Every structure is written in structure tokens, then in C-alpha cells.
Amino acid sequence: MVYFQTIEGQELQESIVNYEPKFQIGDLLTINVSAIDAEAVIPFNLFESTSVGTPKPIAYLVDADGDINFPVIGKIKIEGLTSKELTKKLSTLIAVYVKQPIINSRLINFKVTVLGEVKVPGSYAVPNERISIIEAIGLAGDLTIQGERSTVLLVREQEGKRTFIDLDLTNKKLFNSPYFYLAQNDVIYIAPNKTKINSSGVGTNTSILISSISALISLIAILTR
């Protein structure tokens, strides 16, 4: 099974797009605020106590309105923003209270799901907030021999809409696709190829045929006694 086959006249981009995920409803993120005056940023950093005694940063949930409730400042609209854009927005808001604040935000529930004809289907956490469809399939152990490589389904939910995209793993155009890098909560489905579908149908029909023949033979044996 050959991936990324050569396509005559196809040119690949020389530069790699610096993909950044955008925050969505239901996302969980941590935000750390620091500055030269450490005491001044204490109100902006919330922690929860743990059994081992080491404070753990509180995660902010993007609510149904696309907001987070940030200490001191209150509700902040972050849906559709990248981490860089959120950092800039928070820096401006916190600068009213703290001189030269430094903001670090991190999405902590970034995951993708790979289902269907792969060796290890399941959901996979992505710690670095960036993963390509190739890497996701690699995490799932690659496609089985029965997987359909030319029509891979990507399901994506963004801004209240669900999008279904067909991707071809055998075509180098995949690297130019705007869907090459995955967004959080993306689902990849690998359908079985025609060979497996046909063999499954034959197996079922064969079982039915054998059962019917066995019943017929039994009936003839009873009638001829």
C-alpha cells in the first residue's frame, strides 16, 4: 500500500503553515500570569490544593457562550482565538493592574479520535497542541490491510457546525490540504475497503447457505426413513 503517490504536475508548498488551534466551547485551558512584581500577580493565578500538598493550577472552561471567568477581570470572550491572540488580549487587560505582565496559556484537553480500520482505535491526547493527520494515524498504529486509504473521513466541529471532509492518503495533495493539521476533538474514520466488505457479505451468506443445506438434508433423511 503506497501513500503519497507522485502526481504529475503537482507542486508542494515550500513553506510549512504554522498551524495554531483556536479555542472552542468546552475547551479546558490553564493560564499563568507572571511579572517582575510577583506579589502583584497573585490575584490572577488561582490554584487548587491536592492531597500531596503541591498546588495545581485551576483549569478554565470555555462555557456555552465562548467565555471564561477570569479572576479580577471577569468574563472574557475567547472562543475563536488562538493562544497567541489570547495572550495579547489578556496582557492588555491585566496591564491596567500589573506592570509588564507575562501571560502563558495552554490547552489541556486537546485530543483526537481515530476509529475504524486501524490497529489501535481510540482517543489520543495531544500535549503540544499540534498534530497532523499522519501523526494521528501513526498513534493508532497505522491502517490495517483492509483500510480504505483513498477516502479517509475527517469529522470536525467548529463554531456550532459539523463538517465532513474526505481525505486521500495516497495523494501528495494531502500535504497542501487545510485539514492536514487537526483541530481539537477531530474524529478520523477509516472505512473498510471493498475486499473486506465483500468478504464479510460472502461469509454471512455462506453460513446461511450451509445452515439451509443441513436443514434440507435432515428433512430428506426423515422423509426417506
Side-chain angles (χ1 to χ4, degrees):
M1 298 295 179
V2 181
Y3 295 113
F4 323 129
Q5 298 172 29
T6 301
I7 304 298
E8 185 177 355
Q10 172 67 20
E11 294 183 359
L12 299 181
Q13 297 175 354
E14 295 182 358
S15 59
I16 298 176
V17 177
N18 185 23
Y19 174 79
E20 288 186 90
K22 295 182 178 181
F23 294 115
Q24 304 176 15
I25 293 172
D27 282 348
L28 288 172
L29 63 151
T30 57
I31 301 172
N32 178 263
V33 183
S34 58
I36 297 175
D37 186 355
E39 292 187 0
V41 298
I42 291 176
F44 299 97
N45 294 304
L46 300 181
F47 295 88
E48 58 181 336
S49 59
T50 61
S51 57
V52 296
T54 303
K56 181 181 178 181
I58 287 180
Y60 296 93
L61 172 68
V62 183
D63 64 24
D65 296 322
D67 302 332
I68 60 171
N69 193 10
F70 198 71
V72 181
I73 297 173
K75 291 277 188 177
I76 304 174
K77 185 79 171 181
I78 74 164
E79 182 186 9
L81 298 181
T82 65
S83 182
K84 185 182 296 184
E85 291 168 340
L86 175 59
T87 296
K88 184 177 180 180
K89 184 173 185 176
L90 283 174
S91 295
T92 302
L93 294 171
I94 296 175
V96 177
Y97 308 93
V98 180
K99 185 177 181 180
Q100 296 180 336
I102 300 173
I103 316 296
N104 287 297
S105 63
R106 183 172 184 178
L107 185 61
I108 60 174
N109 67 333
F110 192 120
K111 73 178 189 307
V112 295
T113 301
V114 187
L115 301 174
E117 289 296 329
V118 291
K119 293 178 182 177
V120 190
S123 294
Y124 296 90
V126 183
N128 60 358
E129 301 180 9
R130 169 170 161 157
I131 187 171
S132 69
I133 186 172
I134 306 304
E135 293 171 313
I137 291 174
L139 288 175
D142 201 0
L143 279 67
T144 66
I145 195 67
Q146 294 89 9
E148 178 55 66
R149 286 158 171 78
S150 60
T151 311
V152 173
L153 177 64
L154 171 63
V155 183
R156 175 171 295 179
E157 291 187 16
Q158 282 186 329
E159 299 178 356
K161 297 180 181 179
R162 185 178 291 112
T163 307
F164 299 86
I165 306 103
D166 286 330
L167 299 171
D168 186 354
L169 297 181
T170 67
N171 195 323
K172 282 185 178 179
K173 290 181 180 180
L174 176 68
F175 290 93
N176 284 341
S177 170
Y179 303 102
F180 180 72
Y181 287 105
L182 302 179
Q184 61 268 45
N185 303 316
D186 275 359
V187 176
I188 301 168
Y189 173 68
I190 312 295
N193 57 23
K194 292 181 179 179
T195 301
K196 182 168 184 179
I197 294 174
N198 293 337
S199 64
S200 297
V202 169
T204 303
N205 294 334
T206 301
S207 299
I208 295 173
L209 180 61
I210 292 174
S211 298
S212 301
I213 292 174
S214 298
L216 181 60
I217 292 174
S218 300
L219 179 61
I220 292 174
I222 294 173
L223 295 175
T224 56
R225 283 181 180 178

